[in-house]
Amino acid sequence: MKQERYSLDDLLAIMAALRDPVSGCPWDKKQNFASIVPHTIEEAYEVADTITRNALNELPGELGDLLFQVVFYAQLGKEQALFDFNDVVQAVSEKLVRRHPHVFGDSQFVSEAEVKANREQTKAQERQALDASATSVLDDIPRNLPALTRANKIQKRCSAVGFDWRELPPVIDKIYEELDEVMAELKQTDQDEDRIADELGDVLFACVNLVRHLKKDPEAVLRGANDKFERRFRTVEHALYTDGKDARDCSLAELDGYWRQAKIEQG
């Protein structure tokens, strides 16, 4: 099936061949909706990593891997007479047109805030249409989202209905308040590990709120912090190796000195 340029129809045919009951690939044939979910998540993160590294020459390949996940789900749906790829395209097209009446209809919005408000109202109507018993703006937020992402999404939904601070100071005050509650638990003579974990969760949730109010993405912010720490720690490791030292044999003061130097070098 080799040719110079493949089309989407070719990709769908390749997927069908991989799932062929007789001549298909053994691995592909045994997959189901649930079994490929981890691969979908992994491919999405690989796309994000490629963009973060600005390795845009690798992006078509990574996006292709992610598209293949959608094609895989569509093939499974087709085999079970549930839906096919055209249904997927139809669903997303209808949603995009419905949520952008200012582009595809006669509605006019004068600000981004009005656009967002309309989108949230439309999404609420969609939730109600899918589940007539849905009573909360939080009803359809997936529980298996990364915790930081889910916290951010929960807070955005609450903010959309007015449940939010309008100024930054109380957001910051809340972090200190939650930290004080952690310290209060730690001072207890009979420490309750569940209570400590609960209070630590409140601290993280409050920090996500601060990040959101500053219009940043918590996953991206923490990813950046992870990358920065890793760069600096690798610099410390290299310096220790150059000096013939083992971190486990160094005092905290020595290690702090290496760390400070790494911060200077890495910025």
Side-chain angles (χ1 to χ4, degrees), residues 240-261:
L240 287 167
Y241 177 80
T242 300
D243 293 344
K245 294 182 179 181
D246 188 318
R248 289 163 292 193
D249 299 326
C250 295
S251 67
L252 289 178
E254 284 182 287
L255 293 176
D256 185 60
Y258 279 104
W259 181 257
R260 291 177 182 276
Q261 183 59 36

Side-chain angles (χ1 to χ4, degrees), residues 77-228:
K78 183 177 182 179
E79 293 169 4
Q80 299 177 39
L82 298 172
F83 60 87
D84 61 16
F85 188 80
N86 289 331
D87 293 318
V88 175
V89 173
Q90 182 69 21
V92 71
S93 298
E94 288 179 353
K95 182 185 295 184
L96 289 170
V97 171
R98 187 169 59 247
R99 292 183 179 180
H100 296 82
H102 53 298
V103 176
F104 303 105
D106 298 327
S107 298
Q108 293 184 353
F109 303 124
V110 298
S111 67
E112 184 179 348
E114 288 186 4
V115 172
K116 288 182 177 179
N118 175 77
R119 184 169 64 245
E120 290 303 321
Q121 181 180 4
T122 303
K123 288 165 71 174
Q125 293 169 350
E126 292 169 355
R127 288 193 294 272
Q128 190 68 24
L130 283 172
D131 182 2
S133 65
T135 58
S136 172
V137 295
L138 309 179
D139 278 341
D140 66 336
I141 298 178
R143 298 190 66 83
N144 59 352
L145 282 174
L148 288 178
T149 299
R150 188 163 188 266
N152 192 45
K153 200 169 187 69
I154 288 172
Q155 293 172 9
K156 283 184 175 180
R157 289 280 183 89
C158 293
S159 180
V161 295
F163 193 82
D164 197 7
W165 279 298
R166 291 182 172 83
E167 298 177 346
L168 195 59
V171 177
I172 297 173
D173 290 342
K174 188 63 177 176
I175 295 175
Y176 286 112
E177 176 187 326
E178 299 298 354
L179 282 170
D180 287 341
E181 292 182 7
V182 171
M183 296 307 299
E185 288 296 328
L186 292 176
K187 291 177 181 177
Q188 298 294 324
T189 54
D190 53 340
Q191 291 183 0
D192 185 327
E193 294 301 322
D194 290 338
R195 285 291 304 159
I196 292 173
D198 185 62
E199 298 298 348
L200 287 171
D202 290 343
V203 172
L204 290 175
F205 193 83
C207 287
V208 169
N209 202 24
L210 173 60
V211 174
R212 180 181 62 83
H213 271 265
L214 294 175
K215 303 187 185 308
K216 305 294 182 183
D217 175 71
E219 289 284 346
V221 168
L222 186 56
R223 255 197 318 272
N226 289 341
D227 291 343
K228 179 172 63 177

Side-chain angles (χ1 to χ4, degrees), residues 19-86:
R19 289 280 297 181
D20 186 277
V22 177
S23 59
C25 170
W27 186 88
D28 290 278
K29 288 193 295 183
K30 73 178 184 181
Q31 302 309 310
N32 55 45
F33 285 114
S35 69
I36 61 174
V37 167
H39 301 284
T40 307
I41 295 171
E42 181 180 340
E43 297 299 351
Y45 277 115
E46 289 183 4
V47 168
D49 178 67
T50 302
I51 294 172
T52 299
R53 293 186 290 107
N54 200 34
L56 301 186
N57 60 310
E58 300 174 18
L59 193 53
E62 297 299 344
L63 287 172
D65 291 340
L66 188 56
L67 174 60
F68 178 69
Q69 300 299 305
V70 178
V71 169
F72 209 138
Y73 289 116
Q75 177 64 28
L76 293 173
K78 183 177 182 179
E79 293 169 4
Q80 299 177 39
L82 298 172
F83 60 87
D84 61 16
F85 188 80
N86 289 331

